[in-house]
Amino acid sequence: MDAFMMGLTEKEEAIISRLANSALDLSRDIREDVKWNALCYFKGDCAFVGIMPYKKYISVIFDRGVELDDTDNVLEGKGHTMRHIKIRCLEDLKEKNIGSYIAQSYELKEID
C-alpha cells in the first residue's frame, strides 16, 4: 500500500487508510493488491472492493454493486454490475455508511 499512497495528499491518505482498515478488519484472509490502478481487496480470487483516487474524490468501487442493498441511496453508476461511491472528505465515510457497503460486498457469495 505504501507505493500506492505515494504522491497523495494527507487528506487522501487518511481516507484511503480508513477505507483499507474497513476492508481488512472483516477477516484475516483478505488479500490486498494494486490492480487496475486501484487498491483492491480480495476474498479468495474475487475483488470485493477497490479504492481509486481521482483529483476531486476517491471512488470506492464494487464490482458486484448491483447486488448490494443500497438503503442509503449512495451507490452511483449505470454499468451492468459495477457501482461506486464517491468520497470527498472523511465525514463522507460515516455519512454514506461506507463500512456497511464494504461488509455487504465481502459477504456476497462467491461466483463459481
Side-chain angles (χ1 to χ4, degrees), residues 77-88:
K78 304 228 188 276
H80 184 66
T81 60
M82 190 177 292
R83 295 290 181 271
H84 66 276
I85 300 172
K86 293 178 184 172
I87 304 297
R88 292 181 171 82

Side-chain angles (χ1 to χ4, degrees), residues 4 23-24 30-43 46-52 61 63:
F4 184 80
L24 291 169
I30 292 171
R31 182 172 52 86
E32 176 185 81
D33 200 356
V34 177
K35 298 263 187 199
W36 314 290
N37 296 319
L39 186 59
C40 297
Y41 293 88
F42 292 82
K43 176 182 177 182
C46 297
F48 66 94
V49 66
I51 303 166
M52 185 176 289
I61 304 160
D63 286 350

Side-chain angles (χ1 to χ4, degrees), residues 21-76:
N21 288 336
S22 291
L24 291 169
D25 287 347
L26 294 170
S27 171
R28 293 188 187 275
D29 297 326
I30 292 171
R31 182 172 52 86
E32 176 185 81
D33 200 356
V34 177
K35 298 263 187 199
W36 314 290
N37 296 319
L39 186 59
C40 297
Y41 293 88
F42 292 82
K43 176 182 177 182
D45 291 332
C46 297
F48 66 94
V49 66
I51 303 166
M52 185 176 289
Y54 289 91
K55 286 186 180 186
K56 296 185 179 187
Y57 61 88
I58 294 170
S59 187
V60 183
I61 304 160
F62 302 98
D63 286 350
R64 295 171 59 193
V66 296
E67 297 176 55
L68 302 178
D69 184 13
D70 189 15
T71 56
D72 298 298
N73 200 30
V74 295
L75 290 172
E76 298 181 44

Side-chain angles (χ1 to χ4, degrees), residues 1-17 19 37-39 51-58:
M1 178 164 52
D2 292 337
F4 184 80
M5 298 285 242
M6 288 180 57
L8 299 177
T9 67
E10 283 184 38
K11 176 181 153 183
E12 291 168 327
E13 285 182 14
I15 292 169
I16 291 171
S17 290
L19 289 166
N37 296 319
L39 186 59
I51 303 166
M52 185 176 289
Y54 289 91
K55 286 186 180 186
K56 296 185 179 187
Y57 61 88
I58 294 170

